[in-house]
Amino acid sequence: MKPTSEETHETQVRSRKPLIIAALVIVVAIVAAASLAYGEWANRPDVWTNDAKFDADYTVISPRVSGDLVGVHIEDHDRVERGDPLLDIDPRDYQVAVDNAEGLVAAAKANLAEIEAKLAQQPAQIRNAEATVRQDAANADYARADAARYSRLRHNGNVSEQNAQQANANARALDAQRQADQATLDSVRQQTAVLKAQRQSAEAALIQAQTQLRQARLELSYTQIKAPIDGVVAEQSARVGAWTDAGSAQLAIVPVHAIYVTAYYREVDITHVKPGQPVSLSVDAYPDLDLRGHVKSLAPATGTTFSPVSSNDVSGNFTKIVQRLPVRITIDPDQPGLDRLKVGLSVETTIHTEA
């Protein structure tokens, strides 16, 4: 029996029902996700603080040697480049130390050369001593044979007792000479080992003298103090003729080209702060100057963490204080007015966390 039109329509509705339900589920999921995203975005407002200032990693210049200042080539607020001369310390004492060290090196080299020459002569001296011992052995053997012959002739009455005794004494003398020359040979051979030990000692002495020379030259170079970085001179206290001790601060160089901002945000304001987020900067000293930057990093601890005095209250009376966390902000380059910035100036910062 052929189905009616009403039955056909009802069948089509039932077949479409799962599709409609699935579409509704997808729409609800999209709406929920959009609501959550909007809520998250809406709960991430800009965070602002006026507890911020310009900072720079400035370098304090201190001499590495002591002496009288004989030259001061800079003044406060001068711009310097890396390698520019800053201060000169009297180099005469250090030049004397270099000259003395050079003399020690020359003496050590001469001593080593003398020992090397003696070592070079050792083979010839050993050969000469060996030849002498061989000659002594031959002479002693001949003398002993001659003494034995004279002894036989004496028994036969052909030579006198005196001649026999003289031949015997000569044999003993030549044998003693052989033993003496053998001792000399042994001594010459042992002298080689002695000279080798002396050579090692001389080489060590030369290395020590060369080290002293390098140290003396290094200290001499320290009498000329040069700028280690580019920047602007500040806190210059050096004066010509004044005595300066090694390690005493004479001036500072501030790299004004590398100024950044340190902002101290309350802990409740950093919930959504992350590196890379854009920052608006307003400088108190220049109300007309608005700058841009971005979050470089967040400190690993609050400022009070490194305080020498502990903040723990052992009395039992606790007052909760909102902590502040240092946030480093890098200033974007190529903005007008960057040359007007000074380290230590106050600045207001607004981090756009929605970005």
Side-chain angles (χ1 to χ4, degrees):
M1 181 176 180
K2 186 177 182 180
T4 63
S5 59
E6 291 182 356
E7 291 175 342
T8 302
H9 177 70
E10 183 178 354
T11 301
Q12 292 176 348
V13 169
R14 283 199 302 269
S15 63
R16 292 176 181 175
K17 188 173 182 180
L19 297 176
I20 296 173
I21 294 175
L24 290 174
V25 170
I26 293 173
V27 171
V28 170
I30 293 174
V31 171
S35 299
L36 289 174
Y38 176 78
E40 175 68 13
W41 176 84
N43 291 326
R44 296 178 61 181
D46 295 345
V47 289
W48 168 91
T49 186
N50 61 356
D51 189 359
K53 60 184 176 65
F54 290 113
D55 271 334
D57 298 326
Y58 63 89
T59 300
V60 177
I61 305 300
S62 302
R64 301 184 67 171
V65 294
S66 302
D68 293 319
L69 286 173
V70 295
V72 177
H73 306 289
I74 40 79
E75 296 180 355
D76 271 334
H77 313 154
D78 284 350
R79 287 186 174 270
V80 295
E81 296 181 356
R82 182 177 181 179
D84 286 349
L86 301 176
L87 307 172
D88 290 333
I89 296 175
D90 190 350
R92 290 176 295 179
D93 290 340
Y94 301 98
Q95 183 62 56
V96 169
V98 169
D99 295 340
N100 181 62
E102 288 177 343
L104 293 176
V105 170
K109 287 182 177 179
N111 184 41
L112 179 60
E114 181 181 358
I115 295 173
E116 293 284 2
K118 290 181 179 179
L119 272 172
Q121 294 174 353
Q122 281 300 106
Q125 291 181 354
I126 291 174
R127 289 193 298 271
N128 183 60
E130 289 174 342
T132 301
V133 169
R134 288 194 298 269
Q135 182 180 358
D136 290 343
N139 292 336
D141 291 342
Y142 178 80
R144 283 194 298 271
D146 196 33
R149 185 172 62 255
Y150 269 89
S151 178
R152 289 192 301 271
L153 291 174
R154 182 181 63 81
H155 286 297
N156 296 332
N158 295 326
V159 297
S160 65
E161 179 72 20
Q162 182 180 3
N163 289 336
Q165 291 177 351
Q166 184 177 3
N168 190 40
N170 186 48
R172 289 197 301 270
L174 290 176
D175 189 62
Q177 180 64 41
R178 182 191 60 79
Q179 293 178 2
D181 288 339
Q182 180 64 47
T184 300
L185 174 59
D186 295 339
S187 177
V188 171
R189 287 172 174 170
Q190 292 176 357
Q191 184 65 18
T192 301
V194 173
L195 288 174
K196 288 182 178 179
Q198 290 178 351
R199 180 176 62 184
Q200 292 179 346
S201 178
E203 289 173 345
L206 176 59
I207 293 174
Q208 183 178 10
Q210 290 173 334
T211 302
Q212 291 179 356
L213 177 58
R214 287 195 296 269
Q215 180 65 32
R217 287 174 175 171
L218 192 60
E219 291 182 352
L220 177 61
S221 70
Y222 292 156
T223 60
Q224 295 181 336
I225 303 175
K226 299 181 180 181
I229 60 172
D230 300 343
V232 176
V233 175
E235 299 295 319
Q236 197 278 102
S237 61
R239 298 293 181 268
V240 173
W243 175 269
T244 179
D245 290 319
S248 60
Q250 298 297 315
L251 57 102
I253 298 181
V254 182
V256 293
H257 59 282
I259 288 179
Y260 58 88
V261 175
T262 302
Y264 299 88
Y265 275 92
R266 300 182 307 162
E267 57 184 314
V268 296
D269 292 333
I270 64 170
T271 304
H272 302 293
V273 174
K274 297 179 180 179
Q277 292 174 338
V279 183
S280 298
L281 308 173
S282 177
V283 185
D284 291 3
Y286 310 114
D288 59 330
L289 183 61
D290 292 322
L291 299 174
R292 303 180 309 278
H294 62 274
V295 176
K296 175 66 175 179
S297 60
L298 283 73
T302 63
T304 58
T305 301
F306 307 103
S307 174
V309 180
S310 175
S311 60
N312 294 333
D313 188 354
V314 297
S315 65
N317 298 320
F318 174 73
T319 301
K320 184 176 182 179
I321 300 176
V322 176
Q323 301 297 308
R324 288 184 177 268
L325 189 77
V327 178
R328 175 173 290 199
I329 298 171
T330 301
I331 304 172
D332 293 343
D334 302 326
Q335 299 183 76
L338 294 182
D339 57 333
R340 300 164 65 186
L341 303 182
K342 310 296 181 185
V343 176
L345 292 182
S346 298
V347 59
E348 297 182 7
T349 62
T350 302
I351 301 176
H352 305 290
T353 59
E354 74 278 0

